[in-house]
Amino acid sequence: MYDLERIYRAKGVADAIAALERDPRAVVICGGSDVLIRIREGKLAGRPLVSIHGLPELSEIRLEPDGTLVIGPAVPFAQVTGHPLIQRLVPALGEAVDQAGGPQLRNVGTIGGNVCNGATSADSAPTLLTLNAVVELTGPQGVRRAPLAEFYLGPGRVDLHPAELCTAIRIARADYEGFFGHYIKYAQRNAMDIATLGCAVHVKLNPEKTAVEALRLAFGVAAPTPIRCHGAEAQAADHRLDGVLLDLVGNAAAAEVNPRTSWRASREFRLQLVRELSRRALAEAVRRAGGVLDA
């Protein structure tokens, strides 16, 4: 059923990188929920695998002294959702990954794999974009960091160099402190389905909670890669909390995205979803932030 040449279980990050250098054909596997499907479909048939499953340095969620939240790429979705730091600092991220697949997938699929497969439908991606997440990448030349928005290069393509691993997802304190978020996934089924469209919002209100201080808005399946709507965000800045705000953000977002027609939905339907889901996600984020939208 699975045509693979061999599998090598790495003893650590350096060992995994060395194994990838020895065989440029090798493919990294962790949870395997994406890689094994691609092998079965023939897309990666006959390739050697390098397993990073269970490596301690990639399997923890921690807070650095400066408040940076560090999420190991090998942490399964279910553990991301339930982790105390996630629930306390970025609960919207936990809610987002809890909508990926079903319980079986969430117990094996990892947040790093969800990011590195480059899929525009990845449930973690829009929320991570609204948190200005940075991807830490380690390879033969050392460690580098790339903003997630620059990590996506195109459909199914990410900025991973040869023999390089994602070794952390980093969220700075300034990018989560004071922000409240919400993620909405629209799919053809209520569970175990790929997103027709995903919408994530994080909002910070002014001290009086009467206006938007900062808005971050991102979508999945609204462009070839997950996308931030910077124009809509700029228009929302300093805007009072009223019904006009929701219409303004929804219409501005629809003007920035570039969804395609597929068998799941037409371009026109996805544009309508962009308008509606941005309204709903923003309204809920404002409520969570303690604001009240005037009629």
Side-chain angles (χ1 to χ4, degrees):
M1 180 180 291
Y2 295 102
D3 178 13
L4 56 96
E5 182 176 312
R6 64 182 179 277
I7 184 166
Y8 175 75
R9 185 166 185 176
K11 302 174 182 64
V13 169
D15 187 39
I17 293 169
L20 293 171
E21 281 192 286
R22 287 193 300 269
D23 192 343
R25 295 175 57 249
V27 176
V28 175
I29 186 170
C30 190
S33 57
D34 285 321
V35 171
L36 291 177
I37 290 173
R38 294 180 183 180
I39 291 173
R40 188 179 62 190
E41 292 175 345
K43 297 174 183 176
L44 295 176
R47 301 277 288 275
L49 303 179
V50 175
S51 174
I52 59 171
H53 178 74
L55 293 182
E57 60 265 52
L58 303 181
S59 303
E60 64 175 354
I61 298 175
R62 69 181 191 278
L63 203 61
E64 294 188 338
D66 66 355
T68 299
L69 178 64
V70 181
I71 304 171
V75 180
F77 292 130
Q79 293 182 25
V80 173
T81 299
H83 197 280
L85 285 175
I86 299 294
Q87 293 181 351
R88 177 164 61 91
L89 302 177
V90 288
L93 177 60
E95 295 169 3
V97 300
D98 199 44
Q99 297 182 52
Q104 299 94 332
L105 181 139
R106 294 193 293 272
N107 278 301
V108 297
T110 63
I111 190 167
N114 199 231
V115 167
C116 290
N117 69 13
T120 186
S121 59
D123 286 304
S124 65
T127 303
L128 287 172
L129 283 177
T130 64
L131 290 165
N132 287 334
V134 172
V135 184
E136 181 181 279
L137 306 159
T138 305
Q141 308 305 316
V143 179
R144 66 185 179 95
R145 292 174 182 170
L148 184 62
E150 299 174 9
F151 185 61
Y152 292 109
L153 301 178
R157 295 190 300 116
V158 294
D159 186 24
L160 264 176
H161 296 176
E164 203 169 50
L165 292 176
C166 172
T167 47
I169 298 168
R170 304 173 60 86
I171 303 170
R173 180 175 180 175
D175 288 316
Y176 65 76
E177 193 169 61
F179 282 89
F180 294 82
H182 188 48
Y183 174 73
I184 300 177
K185 174 180 181 175
Y186 183 95
Q188 295 182 7
R189 297 183 300 187
N190 290 332
M192 299 183 68
D193 201 1
I194 293 173
T196 302
L197 192 95
C199 173
V201 164
H202 268 90
V203 67
K204 179 188 286 187
L205 302 183
N206 65 357
E208 297 76 24
K209 299 191 182 300
T210 57
V212 173
E213 181 175 314
L215 170 68
R216 298 185 190 148
L217 174 65
F219 294 93
V221 209
T225 65
I227 183 174
R228 273 277 293 273
C229 290
H230 295 287
E233 295 172 359
Q235 291 191 46
D238 300 321
H239 200 290
R240 66 185 301 269
L241 301 182
D242 56 21
V244 174
L245 170 66
L246 301 183
D247 289 335
L248 180 150
V249 169
N251 291 330
E256 289 188 74
V257 298
N258 183 29
R260 68 184 181 96
T261 293
S262 71
W263 68 268
R264 292 182 183 275
S266 68
R267 169 184 169 85
E268 292 74 20
F269 182 60
R270 285 195 167 102
L271 286 171
Q272 178 58 27
L273 287 176
V274 166
R275 294 186 183 94
E276 185 59 33
L277 297 191
S278 60
R279 288 172 52 90
R280 296 185 187 187
L282 176 54
E284 176 60 19
V286 166
R287 186 193 68 80
R288 294 181 178 189
V292 176
L293 282 161
D294 297 330

